[in-house]
Amino acid sequence: LPLDMMFIRADGTVFGVAKGAVPYSETVIQSGEPVRAVLEINAGVADKLQIKGGDVVQFKIFGNVP
């Protein structure tokens, strides 16, 4: 199942999205900067939900849950 990979900074902002990662590939996909987390979602979901750099993921590990 191909994946989109969201690279998330320590404050919860999305740095970038690598779209359509190939399953079982040994190719390294770089974030481009240090990130706290990578969230993998089904390929195409990032486009469907219009996820892009600068968006914010709210979760307790980022310390930004109200």
Side-chain angles (χ1 to χ4, degrees):
L1 179 67
L3 299 170
D4 291 341
M5 300 170 60
M6 297 171 39
F7 297 102
I8 307 168
R9 297 178 176 119
D11 66 356
T13 59
V14 175
F15 172 67
V17 180
K19 299 178 183 175
V22 178
Y24 305 108
S25 171
E26 294 185 16
T27 301
V28 175
I29 299 174
Q30 298 286 339
S31 64
E33 72 171 42
V35 295
R36 172 86 188 247
V38 177
L39 179 62
E40 297 176 341
I41 55 180
N42 291 350
V45 172
D47 283 340
K48 182 178 179 181
L49 298 177
Q50 300 178 358
I51 298 169
K52 61 192 176 310
D55 289 346
V56 177
V57 175
Q58 290 187 327
F59 197 70
K60 58 186 172 185
I61 69 164
F62 305 121
N64 62 2
V65 177

